[in-house]
Structure formats: C-alpha cells, structure tokens
Amino acid sequence: MNDAVLHIRAALAESPSNGEVLVLAGDIFMDLEQMEKALEYYKKAYDKDGDNQVSARKYARALSEADRHDEAIAVARRAVKNNRNDVYNQLTLGEVLVNADSLNAAELVLTKAREMNRNIPDGFLALGSLYYRQRIYESARDNYEQAIKIDSTNEVALERLATMYFRMANSEMDNALAAELYNRSLQQWASVIRINPKNARAYYE
C-alpha cells in the first residue's frame, strides 16, 4: 500500500485537478483508514464536479462513515435529484439514511432501489442488512437468500446470512430447530471459505 501512496502522490502532483485521480486518492486513503485524507480528496473531486455520480456517492459514504450524517444525506439526495434512475444513487441514499438511524426513510428508499433492478444483489443485500439491524430476521433472511441466488459468490451476503442464522439459533428455545440453524450457519461459512480461502473469520466460525 505504501507503493500505492507514492504513485497517487505522483499522479496528484502531475494532475492535481483530475477528478478520477482525486477519487482514486480518496479510495487509497479510505483503504488505509485515513478518513480525513480520504474526505479531503473526495471533497475536492465533488467540488470540481458535483454532478459526477461516482464522486458524489463516494463522498456521501465517506461523510457518513465520519458520522457527518446531515452532510452525507444532503450529498446523496443531490445525487438522486440529478439522476433518479440511477439505482446506485438510491442505494447510497438508503445506506447513509441507515447510518443516520433514519430507518423508516431508509426502508422506503432501499425498497424502491431493489424494485428498480431486481437483477442485481445490491438492493436485496441492503434491505437484508436493514432488517437484520431491526431484528426482523425472516425478512432479512429472505433478502440475503435472494441476493445469493442472483450472485452465489457474494461473500458479504453469505457472511451476513451465516451470522444471522447463528443469532437466530442462539435465541431459539427448540433444541432441534436451534441445531438446524447452527448447521445452516456453518454451511454458509463453508461457502465463504470456498469463495475466499483466506477469509480468517470464516475459519474461526
């Protein structure tokens, strides 16, 4: 990653106002968990071209991760206003609303996003996570399973489904049903390992 930082600094020195370079710099510093640096470059990219959908979404998510929820929602809403037919703009708005604990508003937005394109796993995955957060486990499971039907290699969906089954098993009073839920959880973790043999958490579980 040090090499990546050296390369991006050279690119910034050569093209300090290039939007793609600025976004890439933000991505690199996000990966390094240097939030202030990431925000700095995402903001520069967004200020340069606020109508650019990619930079708007990344800036909104970074603001949300930094707990600057009002700003994140404002940026995401502007992106949606600029292009209401972009499902990823809707998903970003839903995501930042969830992070801001505006769960009812988030559910409306994410449901709309899911129905805009049922051929991608993203809407199902986002709604599954929302319902999981609300402990509405049946709805969470249905959405996670649909995401996996669309993309059987979706590691995030498999991990979350495995975790959900484990939580459900822990709260189940019927021993036979609890054992079945534990088994389902292990099956999902086994699927994760097949997809990514380097997933340490899956081995641990």
mmCIF file with all atom_site columns, all heavy atoms in Angstrom, residues 103-104 107 127-144 164 168:
data_model
loop_
_atom_site.group_PDB
_atom_site.id
_atom_site.type_symbol
_atom_site.label_atom_id
_atom_site.label_alt_id
_atom_site.label_comp_id
_atom_site.label_asym_id
_atom_site.label_entity_id
_atom_site.label_seq_id
_atom_site.pdbx_PDB_ins_code
_atom_site.Cartn_x
_atom_site.Cartn_y
_atom_site.Cartn_z
_atom_site.occupancy
_atom_site.B_iso_or_equiv
_atom_site.pdbx_formal_charge
_atom_site.auth_seq_id
_atom_site.auth_comp_id
_atom_site.auth_asym_id
_atom_site.auth_atom_id
_atom_site.pdbx_PDB_model_num
ATOM 1   N N   . LEU A 1 103 ? -34.387 4.954   9.881  1.00 0.00 ? 103 LEU A N   1
ATOM 2   C CA  . LEU A 1 103 ? -34.632 3.619   9.335  1.00 0.00 ? 103 LEU A CA  1
ATOM 3   C C   . LEU A 1 103 ? -35.898 3.538   8.495  1.00 0.00 ? 103 LEU A C   1
ATOM 4   O O   . LEU A 1 103 ? -35.942 2.812   7.502  1.00 0.00 ? 103 LEU A O   1
ATOM 5   C CB  . LEU A 1 103 ? -34.668 2.603   10.472 1.00 0.00 ? 103 LEU A CB  1
ATOM 6   C CG  . LEU A 1 103 ? -33.394 2.527   11.322 1.00 0.00 ? 103 LEU A CG  1
ATOM 7   C CD1 . LEU A 1 103 ? -33.489 1.397   12.336 1.00 0.00 ? 103 LEU A CD1 1
ATOM 8   C CD2 . LEU A 1 103 ? -32.151 2.350   10.449 1.00 0.00 ? 103 LEU A CD2 1
ATOM 9   N N   . ASN A 1 104 ? -36.947 4.260   8.883  1.00 0.00 ? 104 ASN A N   1
ATOM 10  C CA  . ASN A 1 104 ? -38.180 4.217   8.095  1.00 0.00 ? 104 ASN A CA  1
ATOM 11  C C   . ASN A 1 104 ? -37.959 4.827   6.711  1.00 0.00 ? 104 ASN A C   1
ATOM 12  O O   . ASN A 1 104 ? -38.401 4.275   5.691  1.00 0.00 ? 104 ASN A O   1
ATOM 13  C CB  . ASN A 1 104 ? -39.313 4.942   8.816  1.00 0.00 ? 104 ASN A CB  1
ATOM 14  C CG  . ASN A 1 104 ? -39.783 4.202   10.050 1.00 0.00 ? 104 ASN A CG  1
ATOM 15  O OD1 . ASN A 1 104 ? -39.635 2.976   10.150 1.00 0.00 ? 104 ASN A OD1 1
ATOM 16  N ND2 . ASN A 1 104 ? -40.341 4.919   11.012 1.00 0.00 ? 104 ASN A ND2 1
ATOM 17  N N   . GLU A 1 107 ? -35.857 2.455   4.629  1.00 0.00 ? 107 GLU A N   1
ATOM 18  C CA  . GLU A 1 107 ? -36.595 1.304   4.094  1.00 0.00 ? 107 GLU A CA  1
ATOM 19  C C   . GLU A 1 107 ? -37.333 1.671   2.809  1.00 0.00 ? 107 GLU A C   1
ATOM 20  O O   . GLU A 1 107 ? -37.336 0.909   1.837  1.00 0.00 ? 107 GLU A O   1
ATOM 21  C CB  . GLU A 1 107 ? -37.578 0.771   5.130  1.00 0.00 ? 107 GLU A CB  1
ATOM 22  C CG  . GLU A 1 107 ? -38.324 -0.467  4.658  1.00 0.00 ? 107 GLU A CG  1
ATOM 23  C CD  . GLU A 1 107 ? -39.235 -1.057  5.712  1.00 0.00 ? 107 GLU A CD  1
ATOM 24  O OE1 . GLU A 1 107 ? -39.419 -0.409  6.771  1.00 0.00 ? 107 GLU A OE1 1
ATOM 25  O OE2 . GLU A 1 107 ? -39.768 -2.151  5.490  1.00 0.00 ? 107 GLU A OE2 1
ATOM 26  N N   . LEU A 1 127 ? -31.349 -4.182  1.916  1.00 0.00 ? 127 LEU A N   1
ATOM 27  C CA  . LEU A 1 127 ? -32.574 -4.372  2.704  1.00 0.00 ? 127 LEU A CA  1
ATOM 28  C C   . LEU A 1 127 ? -32.390 -5.463  3.749  1.00 0.00 ? 127 LEU A C   1
ATOM 29  O O   . LEU A 1 127 ? -32.883 -5.348  4.877  1.00 0.00 ? 127 LEU A O   1
ATOM 30  C CB  . LEU A 1 127 ? -33.741 -4.730  1.782  1.00 0.00 ? 127 LEU A CB  1
ATOM 31  C CG  . LEU A 1 127 ? -34.543 -3.552  1.240  1.00 0.00 ? 127 LEU A CG  1
ATOM 32  C CD1 . LEU A 1 127 ? -35.549 -4.030  0.195  1.00 0.00 ? 127 LEU A CD1 1
ATOM 33  C CD2 . LEU A 1 127 ? -35.272 -2.803  2.350  1.00 0.00 ? 127 LEU A CD2 1
ATOM 34  N N   . GLY A 1 128 ? -31.671 -6.534  3.391  1.00 0.00 ? 128 GLY A N   1
ATOM 35  C CA  . GLY A 1 128 ? -31.388 -7.577  4.366  1.00 0.00 ? 128 GLY A CA  1
ATOM 36  C C   . GLY A 1 128 ? -30.661 -7.027  5.577  1.00 0.00 ? 128 GLY A C   1
ATOM 37  O O   . GLY A 1 128 ? -31.006 -7.348  6.727  1.00 0.00 ? 128 GLY A O   1
ATOM 38  N N   . SER A 1 129 ? -29.689 -6.162  5.332  1.00 0.00 ? 129 SER A N   1
ATOM 39  C CA  . SER A 1 129 ? -28.928 -5.573  6.436  1.00 0.00 ? 129 SER A CA  1
ATOM 40  C C   . SER A 1 129 ? -29.791 -4.650  7.281  1.00 0.00 ? 129 SER A C   1
ATOM 41  O O   . SER A 1 129 ? -29.647 -4.594  8.507  1.00 0.00 ? 129 SER A O   1
ATOM 42  C CB  . SER A 1 129 ? -27.725 -4.818  5.877  1.00 0.00 ? 129 SER A CB  1
ATOM 43  O OG  . SER A 1 129 ? -26.863 -5.706  5.208  1.00 0.00 ? 129 SER A OG  1
ATOM 44  N N   . LEU A 1 130 ? -30.701 -3.930  6.628  1.00 0.00 ? 130 LEU A N   1
ATOM 45  C CA  . LEU A 1 130 ? -31.619 -3.059  7.374  1.00 0.00 ? 130 LEU A CA  1
ATOM 46  C C   . LEU A 1 130 ? -32.521 -3.884  8.283  1.00 0.00 ? 130 LEU A C   1
ATOM 47  O O   . LEU A 1 130 ? -32.674 -3.573  9.477  1.00 0.00 ? 130 LEU A O   1
ATOM 48  C CB  . LEU A 1 130 ? -32.455 -2.237  6.394  1.00 0.00 ? 130 LEU A CB  1
ATOM 49  C CG  . LEU A 1 130 ? -33.593 -1.419  7.018  1.00 0.00 ? 130 LEU A CG  1
ATOM 50  C CD1 . LEU A 1 130 ? -33.046 -0.362  7.969  1.00 0.00 ? 130 LEU A CD1 1
ATOM 51  C CD2 . LEU A 1 130 ? -34.440 -0.763  5.936  1.00 0.00 ? 130 LEU A CD2 1
ATOM 52  N N   . TYR A 1 131 ? -33.105 -4.950  7.736  1.00 0.00 ? 131 TYR A N   1
ATOM 53  C CA  . TYR A 1 131 ? -33.997 -5.780  8.541  1.00 0.00 ? 131 TYR A CA  1
ATOM 54  C C   . TYR A 1 131 ? -33.227 -6.520  9.647  1.00 0.00 ? 131 TYR A C   1
ATOM 55  O O   . TYR A 1 131 ? -33.753 -6.706  10.753 1.00 0.00 ? 131 TYR A O   1
ATOM 56  C CB  . TYR A 1 131 ? -34.733 -6.780  7.648  1.00 0.00 ? 131 TYR A CB  1
ATOM 57  C CG  . TYR A 1 131 ? -35.742 -6.134  6.730  1.00 0.00 ? 131 TYR A CG  1
ATOM 58  C CD1 . TYR A 1 131 ? -35.780 -6.435  5.371  1.00 0.00 ? 131 TYR A CD1 1
ATOM 59  C CD2 . TYR A 1 131 ? -36.656 -5.202  7.223  1.00 0.00 ? 131 TYR A CD2 1
ATOM 60  C CE1 . TYR A 1 131 ? -36.699 -5.842  4.528  1.00 0.00 ? 131 TYR A CE1 1
ATOM 61  C CE2 . TYR A 1 131 ? -37.576 -4.599  6.379  1.00 0.00 ? 131 TYR A CE2 1
ATOM 62  C CZ  . TYR A 1 131 ? -37.596 -4.918  5.033  1.00 0.00 ? 131 TYR A CZ  1
ATOM 63  O OH  . TYR A 1 131 ? -38.506 -4.320  4.195  1.00 0.00 ? 131 TYR A OH  1
ATOM 64  N N   . TYR A 1 132 ? -32.000 -6.903  9.341  1.00 0.00 ? 132 TYR A N   1
ATOM 65  C CA  . TYR A 1 132 ? -31.185 -7.559  10.360 1.00 0.00 ? 132 TYR A CA  1
ATOM 66  C C   . TYR A 1 132 ? -30.935 -6.600  11.520 1.00 0.00 ? 132 TYR A C   1
ATOM 67  O O   . TYR A 1 132 ? -31.020 -6.982  12.692 1.00 0.00 ? 132 TYR A O   1
ATOM 68  C CB  . TYR A 1 132 ? -29.852 -8.002  9.747  1.00 0.00 ? 132 TYR A CB  1
ATOM 69  C CG  . TYR A 1 132 ? -28.937 -8.690  10.732 1.00 0.00 ? 132 TYR A CG  1
ATOM 70  C CD1 . TYR A 1 132 ? -29.108 -10.033 11.041 1.00 0.00 ? 132 TYR A CD1 1
ATOM 71  C CD2 . TYR A 1 132 ? -27.905 -8.001  11.357 1.00 0.00 ? 132 TYR A CD2 1
ATOM 72  C CE1 . TYR A 1 132 ? -28.272 -10.662 11.941 1.00 0.00 ? 132 TYR A CE1 1
ATOM 73  C CE2 . TYR A 1 132 ? -27.065 -8.619  12.259 1.00 0.00 ? 132 TYR A CE2 1
ATOM 74  C CZ  . TYR A 1 132 ? -27.250 -9.951  12.541 1.00 0.00 ? 132 TYR A CZ  1
ATOM 75  O OH  . TYR A 1 132 ? -26.423 -10.566 13.445 1.00 0.00 ? 132 TYR A OH  1
ATOM 76  N N   . ARG A 1 133 ? -30.662 -5.365  11.192 1.00 0.00 ? 133 ARG A N   1
ATOM 77  C CA  . ARG A 1 133 ? -30.430 -4.348  12.224 1.00 0.00 ? 133 ARG A CA  1
ATOM 78  C C   . ARG A 1 133 ? -31.667 -4.162  13.094 1.00 0.00 ? 133 ARG A C   1
ATOM 79  O O   . ARG A 1 133 ? -31.567 -3.916  14.299 1.00 0.00 ? 133 ARG A O   1
ATOM 80  C CB  . ARG A 1 133 ? -30.042 -3.036  11.549 1.00 0.00 ? 133 ARG A CB  1
ATOM 81  C CG  . ARG A 1 133 ? -29.804 -1.873  12.483 1.00 0.00 ? 133 ARG A CG  1
ATOM 82  C CD  . ARG A 1 133 ? -29.233 -0.701  11.735 1.00 0.00 ? 133 ARG A CD  1
ATOM 83  N NE  . ARG A 1 133 ? -29.041 0.466   12.578 1.00 0.00 ? 133 ARG A NE  1
ATOM 84  C CZ  . ARG A 1 133 ? -28.164 1.414   12.334 1.00 0.00 ? 133 ARG A CZ  1
ATOM 85  N NH1 . ARG A 1 133 ? -27.371 1.339   11.283 1.00 0.00 ? 133 ARG A NH1 1
ATOM 86  N NH2 . ARG A 1 133 ? -28.059 2.457   13.130 1.00 0.00 ? 133 ARG A NH2 1
ATOM 87  N N   . GLN A 1 134 ? -32.839 -4.313  12.468 1.00 0.00 ? 134 GLN A N   1
ATOM 88  C CA  . GLN A 1 134 ? -34.103 -4.161  13.199 1.00 0.00 ? 134 GLN A CA  1
ATOM 89  C C   . GLN A 1 134 ? -34.558 -5.466  13.859 1.00 0.00 ? 134 GLN A C   1
ATOM 90  O O   . GLN A 1 134 ? -35.611 -5.506  14.466 1.00 0.00 ? 134 GLN A O   1
ATOM 91  C CB  . GLN A 1 134 ? -35.186 -3.660  12.239 1.00 0.00 ? 134 GLN A CB  1
ATOM 92  C CG  . GLN A 1 134 ? -34.921 -2.266  11.686 1.00 0.00 ? 134 GLN A CG  1
ATOM 93  C CD  . GLN A 1 134 ? -35.931 -1.878  10.625 1.00 0.00 ? 134 GLN A CD  1
ATOM 94  O OE1 . GLN A 1 134 ? -36.151 -2.595  9.655  1.00 0.00 ? 134 GLN A OE1 1
ATOM 95  N NE2 . GLN A 1 134 ? -36.568 -0.731  10.818 1.00 0.00 ? 134 GLN A NE2 1
ATOM 96  N N   . ARG A 1 135 ? -33.755 -6.524  13.683 1.00 0.00 ? 135 ARG A N   1
ATOM 97  C CA  . ARG A 1 135 ? -34.058 -7.855  14.219 1.00 0.00 ? 135 ARG A CA  1
ATOM 98  C C   . ARG A 1 135 ? -35.320 -8.453  13.611 1.00 0.00 ? 135 ARG A C   1
ATOM 99  O O   . ARG A 1 135 ? -36.026 -9.237  14.241 1.00 0.00 ? 135 ARG A O   1
ATOM 100 C CB  . ARG A 1 135 ? -34.144 -7.828  15.753 1.00 0.00 ? 135 ARG A CB  1
ATOM 101 C CG  . ARG A 1 135 ? -32.836 -7.430  16.416 1.00 0.00 ? 135 ARG A CG  1
ATOM 102 C CD  . ARG A 1 135 ? -32.899 -7.536  17.910 1.00 0.00 ? 135 ARG A CD  1
ATOM 103 N NE  . ARG A 1 135 ? -31.625 -7.144  18.509 1.00 0.00 ? 135 ARG A NE  1
ATOM 104 C CZ  . ARG A 1 135 ? -31.353 -7.170  19.806 1.00 0.00 ? 135 ARG A CZ  1
ATOM 105 N NH1 . ARG A 1 135 ? -32.286 -7.587  20.669 1.00 0.00 ? 135 ARG A NH1 1
ATOM 106 N NH2 . ARG A 1 135 ? -30.174 -6.808  20.263 1.00 0.00 ? 135 ARG A NH2 1
ATOM 107 N N   . ILE A 1 136 ? -35.613 -8.087  12.369 1.00 0.00 ? 136 ILE A N   1
ATOM 108 C CA  . ILE A 1 136 ? -36.706 -8.692  11.612 1.00 0.00 ? 136 ILE A CA  1
ATOM 109 C C   . ILE A 1 136 ? -36.057 -9.797  10.775 1.00 0.00 ? 136 ILE A C   1
ATOM 110 O O   . ILE A 1 136 ? -35.796 -9.642  9.578  1.00 0.00 ? 136 ILE A O   1
ATOM 111 C CB  . ILE A 1 136 ? -37.428 -7.649  10.736 1.00 0.00 ? 136 ILE A CB  1
ATOM 112 C CG1 . ILE A 1 136 ? -37.860 -6.447  11.584 1.00 0.00 ? 136 ILE A CG1 1
ATOM 113 C CG2 . ILE A 1 136 ? -38.652 -8.268  10.061 1.00 0.00 ? 136 ILE A CG2 1
ATOM 114 C CD1 . ILE A 1 136 ? -38.450 -5.301  10.771 1.00 0.00 ? 136 ILE A CD1 1
ATOM 115 N N   . TYR A 1 137 ? -35.768 -10.907 11.432 1.00 0.00 ? 137 TYR A N   1
ATOM 116 C CA  . TYR A 1 137 ? -34.867 -11.894 10.862 1.00 0.00 ? 137 TYR A CA  1
ATOM 117 C C   . TYR A 1 137 ? -35.430 -12.605 9.633  1.00 0.00 ? 137 TYR A C   1
ATOM 118 O O   . TYR A 1 137 ? -34.688 -12.950 8.713  1.00 0.00 ? 137 TYR A O   1
ATOM 119 C CB  . TYR A 1 137 ? -34.460 -12.912 11.918 1.00 0.00 ? 137 TYR A CB  1
ATOM 120 C CG  . TYR A 1 137 ? -33.549 -12.347 12.983 1.00 0.00 ? 137 TYR A CG  1
ATOM 121 C CD1 . TYR A 1 137 ? -33.755 -12.611 14.338 1.00 0.00 ? 137 TYR A CD1 1
ATOM 122 C CD2 . TYR A 1 137 ? -32.474 -11.539 12.641 1.00 0.00 ? 137 TYR A CD2 1
ATOM 123 C CE1 . TYR A 1 137 ? -32.920 -12.092 15.309 1.00 0.00 ? 137 TYR A CE1 1
ATOM 124 C CE2 . TYR A 1 137 ? -31.629 -11.015 13.607 1.00 0.00 ? 137 TYR A CE2 1
ATOM 125 C CZ  . TYR A 1 137 ? -31.865 -11.293 14.940 1.00 0.00 ? 137 TYR A CZ  1
ATOM 126 O OH  . TYR A 1 137 ? -31.027 -10.766 15.896 1.00 0.00 ? 137 TYR A OH  1
ATOM 127 N N   . GLU A 1 138 ? -36.740 -12.849 9.614  1.00 0.00 ? 138 GLU A N   1
ATOM 128 C CA  . GLU A 1 138 ? -37.310 -13.543 8.463  1.00 0.00 ? 138 GLU A CA  1
ATOM 129 C C   . GLU A 1 138 ? -37.142 -12.714 7.188  1.00 0.00 ? 138 GLU A C   1
ATOM 130 O O   . GLU A 1 138 ? -36.764 -13.233 6.136  1.00 0.00 ? 138 GLU A O   1
ATOM 131 C CB  . GLU A 1 138 ? -38.791 -13.848 8.713  1.00 0.00 ? 138 GLU A CB  1
ATOM 132 C CG  . GLU A 1 138 ? -39.040 -14.878 9.795  1.00 0.00 ? 138 GLU A CG  1
ATOM 133 C CD  . GLU A 1 138 ? -38.451 -16.239 9.454  1.00 0.00 ? 138 GLU A CD  1
ATOM 134 O OE1 . GLU A 1 138 ? -38.536 -16.639 8.276  1.00 0.00 ? 138 GLU A OE1 1
ATOM 135 O OE2 . GLU A 1 138 ? -37.892 -16.890 10.361 1.00 0.00 ? 138 GLU A OE2 1
ATOM 136 N N   . SER A 1 139 ? -37.426 -11.417 7.287  1.00 0.00 ? 139 SER A N   1
ATOM 137 C CA  . SER A 1 139 ? -37.275 -10.539 6.123  1.00 0.00 ? 139 SER A CA  1
ATOM 138 C C   . SER A 1 139 ? -35.810 -10.398 5.735  1.00 0.00 ? 139 SER A C   1
ATOM 139 O O   . SER A 1 139 ? -35.475 -10.348 4.549  1.00 0.00 ? 139 SER A O   1
ATOM 140 C CB  . SER A 1 139 ? -37.876 -9.156  6.421  1.00 0.00 ? 139 SER A CB  1
ATOM 141 O OG  . SER A 1 139 ? -39.273 -9.247  6.616  1.00 0.00 ? 139 SER A OG  1
ATOM 142 N N   . ALA A 1 140 ? -34.942 -10.333 6.748  1.00 0.00 ? 140 ALA A N   1
ATOM 143 C CA  . ALA A 1 140 ? -33.505 -10.255 6.466  1.00 0.00 ? 140 ALA A CA  1
ATOM 144 C C   . ALA A 1 140 ? -33.051 -11.499 5.721  1.00 0.00 ? 140 ALA A C   1
ATOM 145 O O   . ALA A 1 140 ? -32.348 -11.416 4.705  1.00 0.00 ? 140 ALA A O   1
ATOM 146 C CB  . ALA A 1 140 ? -32.723 -10.102 7.770  1.00 0.00 ? 140 ALA A CB  1
ATOM 147 N N   . ARG A 1 141 ? -33.468 -12.674 6.191  1.00 0.00 ? 141 ARG A N   1
ATOM 148 C CA  . ARG A 1 141 ? -33.077 -13.932 5.555  1.00 0.00 ? 141 ARG A CA  1
ATOM 149 C C   . ARG A 1 141 ? -33.543 -13.987 4.110  1.00 0.00 ? 141 ARG A C   1
ATOM 150 O O   . ARG A 1 141 ? -32.779 -14.353 3.208  1.00 0.00 ? 141 ARG A O   1
ATOM 151 C CB  . ARG A 1 141 ? -33.658 -15.111 6.325  1.00 0.00 ? 141 ARG A CB  1
ATOM 152 C CG  . ARG A 1 141 ? -33.240 -16.473 5.772  1.00 0.00 ? 141 ARG A CG  1
ATOM 153 C CD  . ARG A 1 141 ? -34.125 -17.575 6.288  1.00 0.00 ? 141 ARG A CD  1
ATOM 154 N NE  . ARG A 1 141 ? -35.508 -17.373 5.839  1.00 0.00 ? 141 ARG A NE  1
ATOM 155 C CZ  . ARG A 1 141 ? -36.549 -18.048 6.323  1.00 0.00 ? 141 ARG A CZ  1
ATOM 156 N NH1 . ARG A 1 141 ? -36.376 -18.931 7.274  1.00 0.00 ? 141 ARG A NH1 1
ATOM 157 N NH2 . ARG A 1 141 ? -37.763 -17.822 5.860  1.00 0.00 ? 141 ARG A NH2 1
ATOM 158 N N   . ASP A 1 142 ? -34.811 -13.612 3.885  1.00 0.00 ? 142 ASP A N   1
ATOM 159 C CA  . ASP A 1 142 ? -35.357 -13.673 2.528  1.00 0.00 ? 142 ASP A CA  1
ATOM 160 C C   . ASP A 1 142 ? -34.537 -12.814 1.563  1.00 0.00 ? 142 ASP A C   1
ATOM 161 O O   . ASP A 1 142 ? -34.263 -13.226 0.427  1.00 0.00 ? 142 ASP A O   1
ATOM 162 C CB  . ASP A 1 142 ? -36.812 -13.209 2.528  1.00 0.00 ? 142 ASP A CB  1
ATOM 163 C CG  . ASP A 1 142 ? -37.737 -14.188 3.244  1.00 0.00 ? 142 ASP A CG  1
ATOM 164 O OD1 . ASP A 1 142 ? -37.316 -15.335 3.482  1.00 0.00 ? 142 ASP A OD1 1
ATOM 165 O OD2 . ASP A 1 142 ? -38.873 -13.795 3.568  1.00 0.00 ? 142 ASP A OD2 1
ATOM 166 N N   . ASN A 1 143 ? -34.162 -11.625 2.010  1.00 0.00 ? 143 ASN A N   1
ATOM 167 C CA  . ASN A 1 143 ? -33.400 -10.730 1.139  1.00 0.00 ? 143 ASN A CA  1
ATOM 168 C C   . ASN A 1 143 ? -31.978 -11.222 0.925  1.00 0.00 ? 143 ASN A C   1
ATOM 169 O O   . ASN A 1 143 ? -31.455 -11.161 -0.198 1.00 0.00 ? 143 ASN A O   1
ATOM 170 C CB  . ASN A 1 143 ? -33.408 -9.317  1.706  1.00 0.00 ? 143 ASN A CB  1
ATOM 171 C CG  . ASN A 1 143 ? -34.678 -8.563  1.357  1.00 0.00 ? 143 ASN A CG  1
ATOM 172 O OD1 . ASN A 1 143 ? -34.812 -8.016  0.269  1.00 0.00 ? 143 ASN A OD1 1
ATOM 173 N ND2 . ASN A 1 143 ? -35.631 -8.550  2.287  1.00 0.00 ? 143 ASN A ND2 1
ATOM 174 N N   . TYR A 1 144 ? -31.337 -11.730 1.980  1.00 0.00 ? 144 TYR A N   1
ATOM 175 C CA  . TYR A 1 144 ? -29.988 -12.277 1.826  1.00 0.00 ? 144 TYR A CA  1
ATOM 176 C C   . TYR A 1 144 ? -29.997 -13.477 0.867  1.00 0.00 ? 144 TYR A C   1
ATOM 177 O O   . TYR A 1 144 ? -29.117 -13.617 0.011  1.00 0.00 ? 144 TYR A O   1
ATOM 178 C CB  . TYR A 1 144 ? -29.416 -12.704 3.171  1.00 0.00 ? 144 TYR A CB  1
ATOM 179 C CG  . TYR A 1 144 ? -28.976 -11.581 4.070  1.00 0.00 ? 144 TYR A CG  1
ATOM 180 C CD1 . TYR A 1 144 ? -29.116 -11.674 5.455  1.00 0.00 ? 144 TYR A CD1 1
ATOM 181 C CD2 . TYR A 1 144 ? -28.406 -10.422 3.549  1.00 0.00 ? 144 TYR A CD2 1
ATOM 182 C CE1 . TYR A 1 144 ? -28.704 -10.651 6.292  1.00 0.00 ? 144 TYR A CE1 1
ATOM 183 C CE2 . TYR A 1 144 ? -27.996 -9.394  4.381  1.00 0.00 ? 144 TYR A CE2 1
ATOM 184 C CZ  . TYR A 1 144 ? -28.150 -9.514  5.750  1.00 0.00 ? 144 TYR A CZ  1
ATOM 185 O OH  . TYR A 1 144 ? -27.731 -8.499  6.574  1.00 0.00 ? 144 TYR A OH  1
ATOM 186 N N   . MET A 1 164 ? -26.555 -14.274 10.745 1.00 0.00 ? 164 MET A N   1
ATOM 187 C CA  . MET A 1 164 ? -27.962 -14.197 11.132 1.00 0.00 ? 164 MET A CA  1
ATOM 188 C C   . MET A 1 164 ? -28.475 -15.539 11.622 1.00 0.00 ? 164 MET A C   1
ATOM 189 O O   . MET A 1 164 ? -29.180 -15.626 12.629 1.00 0.00 ? 164 MET A O   1
ATOM 190 C CB  . MET A 1 164 ? -28.787 -13.714 9.946  1.00 0.00 ? 164 MET A CB  1
ATOM 191 C CG  . MET A 1 164 ? -30.213 -13.348 10.320 1.00 0.00 ? 164 MET A CG  1
ATOM 192 S SD  . MET A 1 164 ? -31.291 -13.390 8.896  1.00 0.00 ? 164 MET A SD  1
ATOM 193 C CE  . MET A 1 164 ? -31.327 -15.138 8.552  1.00 0.00 ? 164 MET A CE  1
ATOM 194 N N   . MET A 1 168 ? -30.031 -16.361 15.282 1.00 0.00 ? 168 MET A N   1
ATOM 195 C CA  . MET A 1 168 ? -31.348 -16.989 15.414 1.00 0.00 ? 168 MET A CA  1
ATOM 196 C C   . MET A 1 168 ? -31.249 -18.270 16.239 1.00 0.00 ? 168 MET A C   1
ATOM 197 O O   . MET A 1 168 ? -32.108 -18.549 17.082 1.00 0.00 ? 168 MET A O   1
ATOM 198 C CB  . MET A 1 168 ? -31.923 -17.286 14.027 1.00 0.00 ? 168 MET A CB  1
ATOM 199 C CG  . MET A 1 168 ? -32.317 -16.049 13.226 1.00 0.00 ? 168 MET A CG  1
ATOM 200 S SD  . MET A 1 168 ? -32.840 -16.443 11.525 1.00 0.00 ? 168 MET A SD  1
ATOM 201 C CE  . MET A 1 168 ? -34.409 -17.256 11.834 1.00 0.00 ? 168 MET A CE  1
#
